[in-house]
Amino acid sequence: MSVVIRLARAGTKKRPVYHVVVADSRFPRDGRFIERLGYFNPLLPKDNETRLKLDMEKVKSWLAKGAQPSDRVMRFLDAAGVKKREARNNPEKAVPRKERKAQAEAAAKG
């Protein structure tokens, strides 16, 4: 059973609030979960301290048990200094599509 720490959407239409939960990876995003660790409200300003609330003791214990955080939760943990997130880089995405296609065809020929 792979356990993940991820966001589960709550709130109403056009007014999302997310619960940070520990869940089995096979369960749906908003479905059954093991434990709730906190919440995230993206509608609040970034400097507001109530935008994100996490119980760090529970988070650390779940990480020690082998739970894998999602990309967004990993950003939160990196900002809190709990776990380091490696920077992602996709230089191909910066190249326009036509040029990428031409480069792929040139590599296939040569």
Side-chain angles (χ1 to χ4, degrees), residues 38-77:
Y39 64 85
F40 170 61
N41 187 351
L43 299 177
L44 293 176
K46 291 188 178 182
D47 59 349
N48 193 335
E49 64 270 357
T50 59
R51 180 178 163 100
L52 174 69
K53 171 87 170 73
L54 282 176
D55 187 347
M56 286 301 171
E57 295 303 317
K58 288 182 181 179
V59 170
K60 289 176 185 175
S61 70
W62 277 107
L63 290 174
K65 292 175 189 173
Q68 295 296 313
S70 67
D71 290 340
R72 177 59 55 179
V73 173
M74 187 64 122
R75 283 178 175 262
F76 298 152
L77 297 179

PDB file of all heavy atoms in Angstrom, residues 38-77:
ATOM      1  N   GLY A  38      -4.090  19.100   7.794  1.00  0.00           N
ATOM      2  CA  GLY A  38      -4.224  20.551   7.776  1.00  0.00           C
ATOM      3  C   GLY A  38      -5.093  20.991   6.624  1.00  0.00           C
ATOM      4  O   GLY A  38      -5.839  20.202   6.050  1.00  0.00           O
ATOM      5  N   TYR A  39      -4.973  22.272   6.259  1.00  0.00           N
ATOM      6  CA  TYR A  39      -5.763  22.802   5.152  1.00  0.00           C
ATOM      7  C   TYR A  39      -4.969  23.858   4.403  1.00  0.00           C
ATOM      8  O   TYR A  39      -3.967  24.385   4.890  1.00  0.00           O
ATOM      9  CB  TYR A  39      -7.089  23.387   5.646  1.00  0.00           C
ATOM     10  CG  TYR A  39      -6.946  24.573   6.562  1.00  0.00           C
ATOM     11  CD1 TYR A  39      -6.806  25.852   6.054  1.00  0.00           C
ATOM     12  CD2 TYR A  39      -6.946  24.418   7.943  1.00  0.00           C
ATOM     13  CE1 TYR A  39      -6.672  26.946   6.894  1.00  0.00           C
ATOM     14  CE2 TYR A  39      -6.816  25.501   8.786  1.00  0.00           C
ATOM     15  CZ  TYR A  39      -6.676  26.760   8.259  1.00  0.00           C
ATOM     16  OH  TYR A  39      -6.531  27.842   9.084  1.00  0.00           O
ATOM     17  N   PHE A  40      -5.441  24.174   3.193  1.00  0.00           N
ATOM     18  CA  PHE A  40      -4.847  25.194   2.334  1.00  0.00           C
ATOM     19  C   PHE A  40      -5.979  25.962   1.673  1.00  0.00           C
ATOM     20  O   PHE A  40      -6.872  25.367   1.069  1.00  0.00           O
ATOM     21  CB  PHE A  40      -3.952  24.533   1.278  1.00  0.00           C
ATOM     22  CG  PHE A  40      -3.476  25.466   0.202  1.00  0.00           C
ATOM     23  CD1 PHE A  40      -2.689  26.568   0.509  1.00  0.00           C
ATOM     24  CD2 PHE A  40      -3.793  25.240  -1.125  1.00  0.00           C
ATOM     25  CE1 PHE A  40      -2.250  27.426  -0.484  1.00  0.00           C
ATOM     26  CE2 PHE A  40      -3.349  26.090  -2.117  1.00  0.00           C
ATOM     27  CZ  PHE A  40      -2.579  27.173  -1.803  1.00  0.00           C
ATOM     28  N   ASN A  41      -5.956  27.297   1.815  1.00  0.00           N
ATOM     29  CA  ASN A  41      -6.973  28.152   1.218  1.00  0.00           C
ATOM     30  C   ASN A  41      -6.302  29.053   0.186  1.00  0.00           C
ATOM     31  O   ASN A  41      -5.720  30.077   0.539  1.00  0.00           O
ATOM     32  CB  ASN A  41      -7.676  28.978   2.296  1.00  0.00           C
ATOM     33  CG  ASN A  41      -8.849  29.750   1.745  1.00  0.00           C
ATOM     34  OD1 ASN A  41      -9.056  29.823   0.546  1.00  0.00           O
ATOM     35  ND2 ASN A  41      -9.627  30.342   2.639  1.00  0.00           N
ATOM     36  N   PRO A  42      -6.379  28.702  -1.105  1.00  0.00           N
ATOM     37  CA  PRO A  42      -5.674  29.487  -2.132  1.00  0.00           C
ATOM     38  C   PRO A  42      -6.285  30.855  -2.391  1.00  0.00           C
ATOM     39  O   PRO A  42      -5.658  31.681  -3.057  1.00  0.00           O
ATOM     40  CB  PRO A  42      -5.782  28.601  -3.373  1.00  0.00           C
ATOM     41  CG  PRO A  42      -7.000  27.789  -3.153  1.00  0.00           C
ATOM     42  CD  PRO A  42      -7.085  27.556  -1.677  1.00  0.00           C
ATOM     43  N   LEU A  43      -7.484  31.129  -1.876  1.00  0.00           N
ATOM     44  CA  LEU A  43      -8.123  32.417  -2.124  1.00  0.00           C
ATOM     45  C   LEU A  43      -7.580  33.528  -1.239  1.00  0.00           C
ATOM     46  O   LEU A  43      -7.750  34.705  -1.542  1.00  0.00           O
ATOM     47  CB  LEU A  43      -9.635  32.290  -1.921  1.00  0.00           C
ATOM     48  CG  LEU A  43     -10.328  31.300  -2.857  1.00  0.00           C
ATOM     49  CD1 LEU A  43     -11.793  31.210  -2.511  1.00  0.00           C
ATOM     50  CD2 LEU A  43     -10.143  31.703  -4.304  1.00  0.00           C
ATOM     51  N   LEU A  44      -6.914  33.154  -0.159  1.00  0.00           N
ATOM     52  CA  LEU A  44      -6.340  34.161   0.731  1.00  0.00           C
ATOM     53  C   LEU A  44      -5.033  34.693   0.159  1.00  0.00           C
ATOM     54  O   LEU A  44      -4.361  34.007  -0.610  1.00  0.00           O
ATOM     55  CB  LEU A  44      -6.084  33.552   2.113  1.00  0.00           C
ATOM     56  CG  LEU A  44      -7.333  33.159   2.903  1.00  0.00           C
ATOM     57  CD1 LEU A  44      -6.927  32.488   4.203  1.00  0.00           C
ATOM     58  CD2 LEU A  44      -8.202  34.363   3.178  1.00  0.00           C
ATOM     59  N   PRO A  45      -4.630  35.917   0.528  1.00  0.00           N
ATOM     60  CA  PRO A  45      -3.349  36.450   0.029  1.00  0.00           C
ATOM     61  C   PRO A  45      -2.169  35.609   0.515  1.00  0.00           C
ATOM     62  O   PRO A  45      -2.240  34.967   1.565  1.00  0.00           O
ATOM     63  CB  PRO A  45      -3.284  37.853   0.631  1.00  0.00           C
ATOM     64  CG  PRO A  45      -4.572  38.109   1.291  1.00  0.00           C
ATOM     65  CD  PRO A  45      -5.361  36.859   1.340  1.00  0.00           C
ATOM     66  N   LYS A  46      -1.086  35.635  -0.245  1.00  0.00           N
ATOM     67  CA  LYS A  46       0.068  34.784   0.069  1.00  0.00           C
ATOM     68  C   LYS A  46       0.736  35.134   1.393  1.00  0.00           C
ATOM     69  O   LYS A  46       1.353  34.285   2.014  1.00  0.00           O
ATOM     70  CB  LYS A  46       1.091  34.856  -1.056  1.00  0.00           C
ATOM     71  CG  LYS A  46       0.599  34.192  -2.301  1.00  0.00           C
ATOM     72  CD  LYS A  46       1.663  34.097  -3.354  1.00  0.00           C
ATOM     73  CE  LYS A  46       1.105  33.381  -4.562  1.00  0.00           C
ATOM     74  NZ  LYS A  46       2.080  33.204  -5.614  1.00  0.00           N
ATOM     75  N   ASP A  47       0.601  36.367   1.832  1.00  0.00           N
ATOM     76  CA  ASP A  47       1.244  36.758   3.090  1.00  0.00           C
ATOM     77  C   ASP A  47       0.369  36.472   4.314  1.00  0.00           C
ATOM     78  O   ASP A  47       0.807  36.675   5.443  1.00  0.00           O
ATOM     79  CB  ASP A  47       1.632  38.234   3.050  1.00  0.00           C
ATOM     80  CG  ASP A  47       0.431  39.145   2.825  1.00  0.00           C
ATOM     81  OD1 ASP A  47      -0.654  38.639   2.492  1.00  0.00           O
ATOM     82  OD2 ASP A  47       0.593  40.375   2.970  1.00  0.00           O
ATOM     83  N   ASN A  48      -0.831  35.970   4.111  1.00  0.00           N
ATOM     84  CA  ASN A  48      -1.741  35.662   5.219  1.00  0.00           C
ATOM     85  C   ASN A  48      -1.326  34.342   5.864  1.00  0.00           C
ATOM     86  O   ASN A  48      -1.152  33.333   5.175  1.00  0.00           O
ATOM     87  CB  ASN A  48      -3.172  35.562   4.686  1.00  0.00           C
ATOM     88  CG  ASN A  48      -4.194  35.548   5.784  1.00  0.00           C
ATOM     89  OD1 ASN A  48      -3.915  35.162   6.905  1.00  0.00           O
ATOM     90  ND2 ASN A  48      -5.405  35.973   5.451  1.00  0.00           N
ATOM     91  N   GLU A  49      -1.157  34.334   7.191  1.00  0.00           N
ATOM     92  CA  GLU A  49      -0.679  33.123   7.867  1.00  0.00           C
ATOM     93  C   GLU A  49      -1.739  32.031   7.950  1.00  0.00           C
ATOM     94  O   GLU A  49      -1.405  30.876   8.170  1.00  0.00           O
ATOM     95  CB  GLU A  49      -0.143  33.432   9.272  1.00  0.00           C
ATOM     96  CG  GLU A  49      -1.168  33.965  10.242  1.00  0.00           C
ATOM     97  CD  GLU A  49      -1.281  35.475  10.219  1.00  0.00           C
ATOM     98  OE1 GLU A  49      -0.532  36.133   9.486  1.00  0.00           O
ATOM     99  OE2 GLU A  49      -2.154  35.995  10.936  1.00  0.00           O
ATOM    100  N   THR A  50      -3.010  32.372   7.736  1.00  0.00           N
ATOM    101  CA  THR A  50      -4.053  31.343   7.765  1.00  0.00           C
ATOM    102  C   THR A  50      -4.292  30.718   6.397  1.00  0.00           C
ATOM    103  O   THR A  50      -5.193  29.895   6.249  1.00  0.00           O
ATOM    104  CB  THR A  50      -5.380  31.921   8.297  1.00  0.00           C
ATOM    105  OG1 THR A  50      -5.783  32.991   7.445  1.00  0.00           O
ATOM    106  CG2 THR A  50      -5.228  32.400   9.718  1.00  0.00           C
ATOM    107  N   ARG A  51      -3.490  31.073   5.403  1.00  0.00           N
ATOM    108  CA  ARG A  51      -3.608  30.476   4.065  1.00  0.00           C
ATOM    109  C   ARG A  51      -3.273  28.992   4.107  1.00  0.00           C
ATOM    110  O   ARG A  51      -3.902  28.183   3.442  1.00  0.00           O
ATOM    111  CB  ARG A  51      -2.668  31.209   3.110  1.00  0.00           C
ATOM    112  CG  ARG A  51      -2.686  30.697   1.692  1.00  0.00           C
ATOM    113  CD  ARG A  51      -1.739  31.550   0.856  1.00  0.00           C
ATOM    114  NE  ARG A  51      -1.373  30.938  -0.390  1.00  0.00           N
ATOM    115  CZ  ARG A  51      -1.935  31.245  -1.560  1.00  0.00           C
ATOM    116  NH1 ARG A  51      -2.890  32.141  -1.613  1.00  0.00           N
ATOM    117  NH2 ARG A  51      -1.540  30.649  -2.663  1.00  0.00           N
ATOM    118  N   LEU A  52      -2.272  28.633   4.899  1.00  0.00           N
ATOM    119  CA  LEU A  52      -1.850  27.238   5.025  1.00  0.00           C
ATOM    120  C   LEU A  52      -1.683  26.897   6.495  1.00  0.00           C
ATOM    121  O   LEU A  52      -0.998  27.604   7.227  1.00  0.00           O
ATOM    122  CB  LEU A  52      -0.516  27.024   4.294  1.00  0.00           C
ATOM    123  CG  LEU A  52       0.118  25.655   4.457  1.00  0.00           C
ATOM    124  CD1 LEU A  52      -0.706  24.596   3.746  1.00  0.00           C
ATOM    125  CD2 LEU A  52       1.530  25.666   3.920  1.00  0.00           C
ATOM    126  N   LYS A  53      -2.301  25.832   6.924  1.00  0.00           N
ATOM    127  CA  LYS A  53      -2.170  25.353   8.306  1.00  0.00           C
ATOM    128  C   LYS A  53      -1.840  23.874   8.240  1.00  0.00           C
ATOM    129  O   LYS A  53      -2.586  23.093   7.656  1.00  0.00           O
ATOM    130  CB  LYS A  53      -3.496  25.570   9.048  1.00  0.00           C
ATOM    131  CG  LYS A  53      -3.568  24.934  10.412  1.00  0.00           C
ATOM    132  CD  LYS A  53      -3.016  25.864  11.459  1.00  0.00           C
ATOM    133  CE  LYS A  53      -3.297  25.378  12.863  1.00  0.00           C
ATOM    134  NZ  LYS A  53      -2.513  24.242  13.272  1.00  0.00           N
ATOM    135  N   LEU A  54      -0.694  23.494   8.789  1.00  0.00           N
ATOM    136  CA  LEU A  54      -0.268  22.094   8.805  1.00  0.00           C
ATOM    137  C   LEU A  54       0.153  21.689  10.210  1.00  0.00           C
ATOM    138  O   LEU A  54       0.784  22.475  10.917  1.00  0.00           O
ATOM    139  CB  LEU A  54       0.935  21.880   7.874  1.00  0.00           C
ATOM    140  CG  LEU A  54       0.664  21.783   6.391  1.00  0.00           C
ATOM    141  CD1 LEU A  54       1.975  21.683   5.631  1.00  0.00           C
ATOM    142  CD2 LEU A  54      -0.206  20.606   6.076  1.00  0.00           C
ATOM    143  N   ASP A  55      -0.159  20.471  10.590  1.00  0.00           N
ATOM    144  CA  ASP A  55       0.325  19.905  11.842  1.00  0.00           C
ATOM    145  C   ASP A  55       1.661  19.226  11.515  1.00  0.00           C
ATOM    146  O   ASP A  55       1.696  18.100  11.029  1.00  0.00           O
ATOM    147  CB  ASP A  55      -0.685  18.895  12.393  1.00  0.00           C
ATOM    148  CG  ASP A  55      -0.305  18.400  13.764  1.00  0.00           C
ATOM    149  OD1 ASP A  55       0.847  18.629  14.190  1.00  0.00           O
ATOM    150  OD2 ASP A  55      -1.155  17.771  14.416  1.00  0.00           O
ATOM    151  N   MET A  56       2.761  19.946  11.745  1.00  0.00           N
ATOM    152  CA  MET A  56       4.086  19.473  11.327  1.00  0.00           C
ATOM    153  C   MET A  56       4.511  18.185  12.029  1.00  0.00           C
ATOM    154  O   MET A  56       5.235  17.384  11.452  1.00  0.00           O
ATOM    155  CB  MET A  56       5.138  20.563  11.548  1.00  0.00           C
ATOM    156  CG  MET A  56       5.048  21.666  10.547  1.00  0.00           C
ATOM    157  SD  MET A  56       5.246  21.037   8.873  1.00  0.00           S
ATOM    158  CE  MET A  56       4.818  22.463   7.944  1.00  0.00           C
ATOM    159  N   GLU A  57       4.081  17.980  13.258  1.00  0.00           N
ATOM    160  CA  GLU A  57       4.442  16.741  13.963  1.00  0.00           C
ATOM    161  C   GLU A  57       3.850  15.531  13.245  1.00  0.00           C
ATOM    162  O   GLU A  57       4.528  14.524  13.040  1.00  0.00           O
ATOM    163  CB  GLU A  57       3.953  16.791  15.416  1.00  0.00           C
ATOM    164  CG  GLU A  57       4.622  17.859  16.244  1.00  0.00           C
ATOM    165  CD  GLU A  57       6.142  17.711  16.276  1.00  0.00           C
ATOM    166  OE1 GLU A  57       6.626  16.575  16.426  1.00  0.00           O
ATOM    167  OE2 GLU A  57       6.834  18.735  16.139  1.00  0.00           O
ATOM    168  N   LYS A  58       2.589  15.640  12.835  1.00  0.00           N
ATOM    169  CA  LYS A  58       1.942  14.545  12.107  1.00  0.00           C
ATOM    170  C   LYS A  58       2.591  14.349  10.744  1.00  0.00           C
ATOM    171  O   LYS A  58       2.795  13.224  10.300  1.00  0.00           O
ATOM    172  CB  LYS A  58       0.445  14.816  11.946  1.00  0.00           C
ATOM    173  CG  LYS A  58      -0.339  14.679  13.227  1.00  0.00           C
ATOM    174  CD  LYS A  58      -1.809  14.916  12.955  1.00  0.00           C
ATOM    175  CE  LYS A  58      -2.634  14.815  14.223  1.00  0.00           C
ATOM    176  NZ  LYS A  58      -4.064  15.064  13.972  1.00  0.00           N
ATOM    177  N   VAL A  59       2.920  15.460  10.077  1.00  0.00           N
ATOM    178  CA  VAL A  59       3.559  15.374   8.759  1.00  0.00           C
ATOM    179  C   VAL A  59       4.893  14.647   8.870  1.00  0.00           C
ATOM    180  O   VAL A  59       5.190  13.745   8.088  1.00  0.00           O
ATOM    181  CB  VAL A  59       3.751  16.780   8.150  1.00  0.00           C
ATOM    182  CG1 VAL A  59       4.616  16.717   6.913  1.00  0.00           C
ATOM    183  CG2 VAL A  59       2.411  17.418   7.834  1.00  0.00           C
ATOM    184  N   LYS A  60       5.701  15.030   9.850  1.00  0.00           N
ATOM    185  CA  LYS A  60       7.016  14.398  10.029  1.00  0.00           C
ATOM    186  C   LYS A  60       6.868  12.919  10.350  1.00  0.00           C
ATOM    187  O   LYS A  60       7.649  12.089   9.863  1.00  0.00           O
ATOM    188  CB  LYS A  60       7.803  15.104  11.134  1.00  0.00           C
ATOM    189  CG  LYS A  60       8.282  16.478  10.723  1.00  0.00           C
ATOM    190  CD  LYS A  60       8.974  17.182  11.871  1.00  0.00           C
ATOM    191  CE  LYS A  60       9.342  18.607  11.491  1.00  0.00           C
ATOM    192  NZ  LYS A  60       9.897  19.362  12.605  1.00  0.00           N
ATOM    193  N   SER A  61       5.874  12.565  11.157  1.00  0.00           N
ATOM    194  CA  SER A  61       5.695  11.151  11.497  1.00  0.00           C
ATOM    195  C   SER A  61       5.275  10.344  10.271  1.00  0.00           C
ATOM    196  O   SER A  61       5.749   9.229  10.075  1.00  0.00           O
ATOM    197  CB  SER A  61       4.682  10.981  12.626  1.00  0.00           C
ATOM    198  OG  SER A  61       3.387  11.294  12.197  1.00  0.00           O
ATOM    199  N   TRP A  62       4.410  10.912   9.421  1.00  0.00           N
ATOM    200  CA  TRP A  62       4.005  10.201   8.211  1.00  0.00           C
ATOM    201  C   TRP A  62       5.155  10.094   7.212  1.00  0.00           C
ATOM    202  O   TRP A  62       5.290   9.080   6.517  1.00  0.00           O
ATOM    203  CB  TRP A  62       2.784  10.860   7.584  1.00  0.00           C
ATOM    204  CG  TRP A  62       1.514  10.412   8.217  1.00  0.00           C
ATOM    205  CD1 TRP A  62       0.726  11.135   9.055  1.00  0.00           C
ATOM    206  CD2 TRP A  62       0.902   9.125   8.109  1.00  0.00           C
ATOM    207  NE1 TRP A  62      -0.338  10.378   9.460  1.00  0.00           N
ATOM    208  CE2 TRP A  62      -0.264   9.145   8.900  1.00  0.00           C
ATOM    209  CE3 TRP A  62       1.212   7.967   7.419  1.00  0.00           C
ATOM    210  CZ2 TRP A  62      -1.113   8.049   9.009  1.00  0.00           C
ATOM    211  CZ3 TRP A  62       0.370   6.866   7.528  1.00  0.00           C
ATOM    212  CH2 TRP A  62      -0.770   6.917   8.322  1.00  0.00           C
ATOM    213  N   LEU A  63       5.986  11.128   7.122  1.00  0.00           N
ATOM    214  CA  LEU A  63       7.156  11.049   6.238  1.00  0.00           C
ATOM    215  C   LEU A  63       8.118   9.974   6.731  1.00  0.00           C
ATOM    216  O   LEU A  63       8.720   9.255   5.931  1.00  0.00           O
ATOM    217  CB  LEU A  63       7.853  12.407   6.150  1.00  0.00           C
ATOM    218  CG  LEU A  63       7.109  13.498   5.387  1.00  0.00           C
ATOM    219  CD1 LEU A  63       7.837  14.819   5.516  1.00  0.00           C
ATOM    220  CD2 LEU A  63       6.927  13.124   3.933  1.00  0.00           C
ATOM    221  N   ALA A  64       8.261   9.842   8.055  1.00  0.00           N
ATOM    222  CA  ALA A  64       9.128   8.811   8.618  1.00  0.00           C
ATOM    223  C   ALA A  64       8.579   7.415   8.329  1.00  0.00           C
ATOM    224  O   ALA A  64       9.346   6.457   8.191  1.00  0.00           O
ATOM    225  CB  ALA A  64       9.270   9.018  10.123  1.00  0.00           C
ATOM    226  N   LYS A  65       7.260   7.303   8.211  1.00  0.00           N
ATOM    227  CA  LYS A  65       6.632   6.014   7.907  1.00  0.00           C
ATOM    228  C   LYS A  65       6.698   5.688   6.415  1.00  0.00           C
ATOM    229  O   LYS A  65       6.304   4.597   6.012  1.00  0.00           O
ATOM    230  CB  LYS A  65       5.176   6.015   8.348  1.00  0.00           C
ATOM    231  CG  LYS A  65       5.004   6.068   9.849  1.00  0.00           C
ATOM    232  CD  LYS A  65       3.536   6.184  10.204  1.00  0.00           C
ATOM    233  CE  LYS A  65       3.361   6.463  11.684  1.00  0.00           C
ATOM    234  NZ  LYS A  65       1.960   6.736  12.038  1.00  0.00           N
ATOM    235  N   GLY A  66       7.139   6.648   5.590  1.00  0.00           N
ATOM    236  CA  GLY A  66       7.311   6.375   4.164  1.00  0.00           C
ATOM    237  C   GLY A  66       6.272   6.997   3.255  1.00  0.00           C
ATOM    238  O   GLY A  66       6.211   6.658   2.076  1.00  0.00           O
ATOM    239  N   ALA A  67       5.450   7.893   3.762  1.00  0.00           N
ATOM    240  CA  ALA A  67       4.451   8.550   2.916  1.00  0.00           C
ATOM    241  C   ALA A  67       5.145   9.488   1.932  1.00  0.00           C
ATOM    242  O   ALA A  67       6.090  10.185   2.288  1.00  0.00           O
ATOM    243  CB  ALA A  67       3.463   9.332   3.773  1.00  0.00           C
ATOM    244  N   GLN A  68       4.662   9.494   0.685  1.00  0.00           N
ATOM    245  CA  GLN A  68       5.235  10.330  -0.362  1.00  0.00           C
ATOM    246  C   GLN A  68       4.368  11.564  -0.568  1.00  0.00           C
ATOM    247  O   GLN A  68       3.180  11.440  -0.867  1.00  0.00           O
ATOM    248  CB  GLN A  68       5.315   9.552  -1.676  1.00  0.00           C
ATOM    249  CG  GLN A  68       6.251   8.377  -1.631  1.00  0.00           C
ATOM    250  CD  GLN A  68       7.681   8.810  -1.400  1.00  0.00           C
ATOM    251  OE1 GLN A  68       8.161   9.736  -2.048  1.00  0.00           O
ATOM    252  NE2 GLN A  68       8.341   8.151  -0.485  1.00  0.00           N
ATOM    253  N   PRO A  69       4.914  12.773  -0.421  1.00  0.00           N
ATOM    254  CA  PRO A  69       4.112  13.979  -0.656  1.00  0.00           C
ATOM    255  C   PRO A  69       3.907  14.239  -2.148  1.00  0.00           C
ATOM    256  O   PRO A  69       4.774  13.916  -2.969  1.00  0.00           O
ATOM    257  CB  PRO A  69       4.930  15.088  -0.005  1.00  0.00           C
ATOM    258  CG  PRO A  69       6.302  14.559   0.099  1.00  0.00           C
ATOM    259  CD  PRO A  69       6.231  13.071   0.111  1.00  0.00           C
ATOM    260  N   SER A  70       2.769  14.823  -2.490  1.00  0.00           N
ATOM    261  CA  SER A  70       2.514  15.227  -3.870  1.00  0.00           C
ATOM    262  C   SER A  70       3.380  16.450  -4.193  1.00  0.00           C
ATOM    263  O   SER A  70       4.027  17.017  -3.314  1.00  0.00           O
ATOM    264  CB  SER A  70       1.040  15.550  -4.063  1.00  0.00           C
ATOM    265  OG  SER A  70       0.691  16.697  -3.326  1.00  0.00           O
ATOM    266  N   ASP A  71       3.375  16.872  -5.444  1.00  0.00           N
ATOM    267  CA  ASP A  71       4.203  18.011  -5.854  1.00  0.00           C
ATOM    268  C   ASP A  71       3.844  19.282  -5.090  1.00  0.00           C
ATOM    269  O   ASP A  71       4.704  20.007  -4.614  1.00  0.00           O
ATOM    270  CB  ASP A  71       4.053  18.274  -7.349  1.00  0.00           C
ATOM    271  CG  ASP A  71       4.695  17.192  -8.192  1.00  0.00           C
ATOM    272  OD1 ASP A  71       5.553  16.460  -7.665  1.00  0.00           O
ATOM    273  OD2 ASP A  71       4.335  17.084  -9.378  1.00  0.00           O
ATOM    274  N   ARG A  72       2.549  19.571  -4.969  1.00  0.00           N
ATOM    275  CA  ARG A  72       2.127  20.792  -4.285  1.00  0.00           C
ATOM    276  C   ARG A  72       2.438  20.722  -2.793  1.00  0.00           C
ATOM    277  O   ARG A  72       2.915  21.694  -2.205  1.00  0.00           O
ATOM    278  CB  ARG A  72       0.624  20.998  -4.512  1.00  0.00           C
ATOM    279  CG  ARG A  72       0.028  22.179  -3.810  1.00  0.00           C
ATOM    280  CD  ARG A  72       0.652  23.503  -4.185  1.00  0.00           C
ATOM    281  NE  ARG A  72       0.629  23.755  -5.595  1.00  0.00           N
ATOM    282  CZ  ARG A  72       1.101  24.857  -6.166  1.00  0.00           C
ATOM    283  NH1 ARG A  72       1.614  25.813  -5.423  1.00  0.00           N
ATOM    284  NH2 ARG A  72       1.066  25.009  -7.459  1.00  0.00           N
ATOM    285  N   VAL A  73       2.209  19.576  -2.179  1.00  0.00           N
ATOM    286  CA  VAL A  73       2.509  19.427  -0.759  1.00  0.00           C
ATOM    287  C   VAL A  73       4.025  19.513  -0.546  1.00  0.00           C
ATOM    288  O   VAL A  73       4.493  20.070   0.449  1.00  0.00           O
ATOM    289  CB  VAL A  73       1.933  18.106  -0.202  1.00  0.00           C
ATOM    290  CG1 VAL A  73       2.375  17.867   1.219  1.00  0.00           C
ATOM    291  CG2 VAL A  73       0.414  18.135  -0.279  1.00  0.00           C
ATOM    292  N   MET A  74       4.799  19.003  -1.493  1.00  0.00           N
ATOM    293  CA  MET A  74       6.251  19.088  -1.393  1.00  0.00           C
ATOM    294  C   MET A  74       6.709  20.546  -1.406  1.00  0.00           C
ATOM    295  O   MET A  74       7.641  20.913  -0.690  1.00  0.00           O
ATOM    296  CB  MET A  74       6.902  18.325  -2.548  1.00  0.00           C
ATOM    297  CG  MET A  74       8.383  18.228  -2.420  1.00  0.00           C
ATOM    298  SD  MET A  74       8.871  17.289  -0.981  1.00  0.00           S
ATOM    299  CE  MET A  74       9.801  16.045  -1.748  1.00  0.00           C
ATOM    300  N   ARG A  75       6.019  21.406  -2.158  1.00  0.00           N
ATOM    301  CA  ARG A  75       6.323  22.839  -2.158  1.00  0.00           C
ATOM    302  C   ARG A  75       6.075  23.434  -0.776  1.00  0.00           C
ATOM    303  O   ARG A  75       6.859  24.237  -0.288  1.00  0.00           O
ATOM    304  CB  ARG A  75       5.456  23.578  -3.175  1.00  0.00           C
ATOM    305  CG  ARG A  75       5.898  23.426  -4.595  1.00  0.00           C
ATOM    306  CD  ARG A  75       4.927  24.168  -5.508  1.00  0.00           C
ATOM    307  NE  ARG A  75       5.391  24.132  -6.861  1.00  0.00           N
ATOM    308  CZ  ARG A  75       6.060  25.127  -7.443  1.00  0.00           C
ATOM    309  NH1 ARG A  75       6.317  26.229  -6.777  1.00  0.00           N
ATOM    310  NH2 ARG A  75       6.457  25.031  -8.680  1.00  0.00           N
ATOM    311  N   PHE A  76       4.959  23.046  -0.142  1.00  0.00           N
ATOM    312  CA  PHE A  76       4.654  23.535   1.200  1.00  0.00           C
ATOM    313  C   PHE A  76       5.721  23.100   2.193  1.00  0.00           C
ATOM    314  O   PHE A  76       6.163  23.878   3.033  1.00  0.00           O
ATOM    315  CB  PHE A  76       3.297  23.020   1.674  1.00  0.00           C
ATOM    316  CG  PHE A  76       2.121  23.471   0.842  1.00  0.00           C
ATOM    317  CD1 PHE A  76       0.986  22.685   0.765  1.00  0.00           C
ATOM    318  CD2 PHE A  76       2.140  24.667   0.146  1.00  0.00           C
ATOM    319  CE1 PHE A  76      -0.102  23.092   0.019  1.00  0.00           C
ATOM    320  CE2 PHE A  76       1.054  25.077  -0.602  1.00  0.00           C
ATOM    321  CZ  PHE A  76      -0.073  24.287  -0.669  1.00  0.00           C
ATOM    322  N   LEU A  77       6.130  21.844   2.112  1.00  0.00           N
ATOM    323  CA  LEU A  77       7.117  21.306   3.051  1.00  0.00           C
ATOM    324  C   LEU A  77       8.485  21.938   2.829  1.00  0.00           C
ATOM    325  O   LEU A  77       9.233  22.173   3.780  1.00  0.00           O
ATOM    326  CB  LEU A  77       7.204  19.783   2.920  1.00  0.00           C
ATOM    327  CG  LEU A  77       5.924  19.015   3.254  1.00  0.00           C
ATOM    328  CD1 LEU A  77       6.147  17.534   3.063  1.00  0.00           C
ATOM    329  CD2 LEU A  77       5.448  19.323   4.646  1.00  0.00           C
TER     330      LEU A  77
END
